[in-house]
Structure formats: structure tokens, C-alpha cells
């Protein structure tokens, strides 16, 4: 077995340009309690090592996936009428039967089609979410992945982990502001 180890290739990160990932630095404004200042004048902190993908690429990939065959592209309203004499009640159960989706669908359908356009127009109901994840069993290494889900997909299908409905959009590093930056020196000048 030891003789086989030198022949193994080192693993590379999946977060590469070839896989559609970019590495960037973002700037955030630092809050300052009990100090009256314009937001434009607030000190900034550079966050390095932010990995992200193009949202257009994520949308295109998701809509070409097999699961997109079950997506809802045309919204509709759902009503419930318990008895023939009762007033129908509107039921809100999915994003694609919400008022917001219906209104956006109307706006998109009113857009002019460019000359020679061969594809239908549709609303992509993006839902973004994030949570912390630990990178090691021991220690404090953590990361904040940002996921995109599509409201065009039924919540019953979207909620099943086996359907792989979460699309990775970004990875945000954990910022330990008080340990890594002299915060007071930036704010209380």
C-alpha cells in the first residue's frame, strides 16, 4: 500500500475558475454605536477569500437540469371552498401561486420578444439562504455557504435533500473582527 501513495495525484479545489468560481475581496461598512456619521464616512473592512459564482450561470444550470422539467413557469391562484354556499378562500402554499410571482409573471409576459427570439420568457424565483458549517471535526474552522433555491420548484420536492435542490452560489469566510482588526482604532479615531 505504501508503494501506491506516491502515484496518487494531489486533490485540487473544486472552487476554481474552470468550475465557474471566482475569488474576490469585498468591502463592508463597519457599524459604530453611539456615533453619528454618514454611512459613506464609515470605515470599511476588506473581507478576502470570498468565493462566488455568477447567478446567471447558476440559473442556466438549474433550468437545464432534469429537475427543471417539474418547475412551475406559469403561476396560478389556488382557492378552497369547503361548501358550495361558502365564499372561496385563497390558499397560499407555494411561491409560484403567490401574488408577487403572478405580478412578476405578468410583467415578464408584457416584455417585447427580440427579433428571432426562440425561447419563452419565465420568472426565476430565486431564494437565497445561508448557514454556518464547520470545516473540521476539531477546531474552529468555519465557513458560511450561500445557497440558491428556486421557488419554481414545489416545496415538497425542494425540501428533500435527495433532490439536490440547493445550488451553491458563494462561500463567505468567517470574520473575527475583534481578533483580526483593531476595531476601536478604525471607529473611534
Amino acid at each position: 500500500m505504501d508503494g501506491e501513495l506516491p502515484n496518487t495525484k494531489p486533490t485540487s479545489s473544486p472552487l476554481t475558475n474552470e468550475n465557474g468560481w471566482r475569488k474576490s475581496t469585498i468591502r463592508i461598512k463597519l457599524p459604530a454605536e453611539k456615533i453619528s456619521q454618514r454611512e459613506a464616512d464609515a470605515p470599511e473592512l476588506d473581507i478576502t477569500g470570498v468565493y462566488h459564482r455568477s447567478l446567471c450561470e447558476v440559473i442556466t444550470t438549474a433550468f437545464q437540469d432534469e429537475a427543471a422539467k417539474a418547475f412551475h413557469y406559469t403561476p396560478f391562484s389556488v382557492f378552497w371552498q369547503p361548501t358550495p354556499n361558502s365564499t372561496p378562500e385563497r390558499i397560499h402554499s407555494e411561491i409560484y401561486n403567490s401574488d408577487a410571482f403572478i405580478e412578476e409573471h405578468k410583467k415578464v409576459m408584457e416584455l417585447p420578444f427580440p427579433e428571432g427570439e426562440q425561447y419563452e420568457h419565465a420568472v426565476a424565483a430565486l431564494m437565497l439562504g445561508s448557514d454556518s458549517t464547520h470545516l473540521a471535526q476539531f477546531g474552529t474552522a468555519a465557513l458560511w455557504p450561500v445557497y440558491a433555491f428556486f421557488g419554481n420548484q414545489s416545496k415538497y420536492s425542494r425540501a428533500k435533500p435527495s433532490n439536490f435542490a440547493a445550488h451553491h452560489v458563494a462561500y463567505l469566510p468567517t470574520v473575527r473582527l475583534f481578533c483580526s482588526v483593531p476595531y476601536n482604532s478604525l471607529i473611534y479615531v
Side-chain angles (χ1 to χ4, degrees), residues 70-134:
F71 280 15
H72 293 265
Y73 300 103
T74 304
F76 53 91
S77 298
V78 179
F79 293 89
W80 177 65
Q81 189 173 7
T83 66
N85 297 331
S86 62
T87 304
E89 295 179 43
R90 174 89 184 271
I91 297 176
H92 299 277
S93 62
E94 296 278 2
I95 290 178
Y96 49 80
N97 60 38
S98 68
D99 290 336
F101 195 101
I102 291 169
E103 288 303 314
E104 291 306 313
H105 177 76
K106 286 178 186 175
K107 290 177 188 175
V108 168
M109 292 300 111
E110 291 172 357
L111 293 173
F113 275 84
E115 187 73 31
E117 181 78 29
Q118 61 179 351
Y119 300 108
E120 281 188 60
H121 294 178
V123 173
L126 273 177
M127 302 181 304
L128 300 176
S130 182
D131 61 357
S132 178
T133 184
H134 292 283

Side-chain angles (χ1 to χ4, degrees), residues 4 28 35 54 82 103 105 154 161 175 186:
E4 295 297 318
I28 60 171
I35 292 182
S54 161
E103 288 303 314
H105 177 76
S154 170
V175 177
L186 291 173

Side-chain angles (χ1 to χ4, degrees), residues 157-180:
S157 174
R158 191 175 59 239
K160 291 181 182 177
S162 60
N163 285 340
F164 302 103
H167 300 270
H168 296 251
V169 174
Y171 291 97
L172 309 173
T174 301
V175 177
R176 304 215 185 280
L177 185 60
F178 295 103
C179 299
S180 61

